Amino acid sequence: EAGVVQSPRYKIIEKKQPVAFWCNPISGHNTLYWYLQNLGQGPELLIRYENEEAVDDSQLPKDRFSAERLKGVDSTLKIQPAELGDSAVYLCASSSGQGRQETQYFGPGTRLLVL
Amino acid sequence: DQQVKQNSPSLSVQEGRISILNCDYTNSMFDYFLWYKKYPAEGPTFLISISSIKDKNEDGRFTVFLNKSAKHLSLHIVPSQPGDSAVYFCAASAPNTGKLIFGQGTTLQVKP
């Protein structure tokens, strides 16, 4: 069974440019998460989707970040405009959405460098 | 305020010996704990988990211990192998939120 798929794996852009990341979760997983991981830190949740509904976006900087999961399957995270401090790894994870104590499975991440 | 802490940034162990990675948490509402392993340029890989109703869970060479009164959990790897060299993250989940709070990670090096 395929794991969580993310693309691109790497992205280099200049500041003030837009950027988008794509994630396809494990088949059948209803819950999808976007995390941000800075160097030397653990992942931090940006947004959580239950099917197509964003149920927790309290940590998403909404002035420049947006996300969507229109059909409840794959998802896109966008930054516009990007800032130097956005350089980090953006991780997508998914879980089955079947119970209270669920394991989240992560994709390989997109490494963003803003110059 | 760091709710999940891994106070040891790094650990070096000889192959065949035991590796013990530690994690402390502050929120008594956390009811599910997980350990992830991360290799460079890859995403975190799920390793083992434990529910707050248990104090031990074992899977092959990996055992996680939970001490709720001390708000402490540990991951034991026995015997350690060079392929275990990676960054290990502990994470905690609060009920009904689905949100994982991660520690800062501990880099384990297993020397041949």
Side-chain angles (χ1 to χ4, degrees):
Chain A
E1 182 180 312
V4 177
V5 179
Q6 289 188 248
S7 69
R9 291 295 309 275
Y10 304 91
K11 189 74 177 178
I12 301 175
I13 61 171
E14 293 189 348
K15 62 181 181 181
K16 300 185 182 179
Q17 294 300 307
V19 65
F21 315 124
W22 177 80
C23 172
N24 189 262
I26 293 172
S27 177
H29 278 194
N30 297 326
T31 307
L32 183 146
Y33 313 78
W34 283 103
Y35 285 86
L36 165 69
Q37 185 175 20
N38 287 305
L39 191 64
Q41 301 293 320
E44 298 176 36
L45 182 69
L46 289 172
I47 189 168
R48 174 169 70 101
Y49 281 93
E50 301 262 349
N51 298 301
E52 63 274 6
E53 181 183 0
V55 295
D56 183 358
D57 63 356
S58 57
Q59 302 302 311
L60 190 73
K62 298 180 185 62
D63 57 335
R64 299 184 299 107
F65 286 65
S66 64
E68 60 183 17
R69 193 185 185 200
L70 293 177
K71 296 182 180 179
V73 180
D74 56 351
S75 174
T76 303
L77 177 69
K78 297 178 182 178
I79 308 175
Q80 182 172 10
E83 298 179 352
L84 296 177
D86 296 331
S87 296
V89 177
Y90 292 82
L91 293 163
C92 180
S94 69
S95 64
S96 62
Q98 299 297 320
R100 292 180 57 242
Q101 296 178 342
E102 297 182 350
T103 298
Q104 297 180 23
Y105 297 91
F106 285 81
T110 296
R111 188 174 299 272
L112 173 68
L113 179 60
V114 182
L115 302 176
Chain B
D1 181 29
Q2 193 84 21
Q3 295 189 68
V4 178
K5 293 182 180 180
Q6 294 175 256
N7 291 317
S8 297
S10 62
L11 174 67
S12 183
V13 172
Q14 206 68 32
E15 180 179 6
R17 305 295 292 270
I18 184 171
S19 294
I20 300 176
L21 296 100
N22 294 303
C23 180
D24 297 295
Y25 62 95
T26 58
N27 190 340
S28 59
M29 296 299 291
F30 290 148
D31 67 347
Y32 188 53
F33 303 88
L34 307 91
W35 284 94
Y36 286 85
K37 179 169 72 172
K38 186 180 181 304
Y39 293 119
E42 295 184 12
T45 301
F46 170 69
L47 199 55
I48 193 169
S49 63
I50 188 167
S51 168
S52 60
I53 62 173
K54 296 184 176 181
D55 54 18
K56 177 183 174 181
N57 188 26
E58 190 172 350
D59 183 2
R61 297 185 297 113
F62 303 92
T63 303
V64 55
F65 295 92
L66 175 62
N67 183 334
K68 288 188 291 294
S69 60
K71 295 190 181 69
H72 177 83
L73 66 156
S74 60
L75 175 67
H76 293 210
I77 307 174
V78 181
S80 301
Q81 300 173 353
D84 295 330
S85 298
V87 180
Y88 289 79
F89 291 97
C90 70
S93 176
N96 302 318
T97 67
K99 181 177 180 177
L100 288 183
I101 308 295
F102 283 84
Q104 309 95 307
T106 296
T107 300
L108 173 66
Q109 183 183 25
V110 180
K111 297 180 178 179

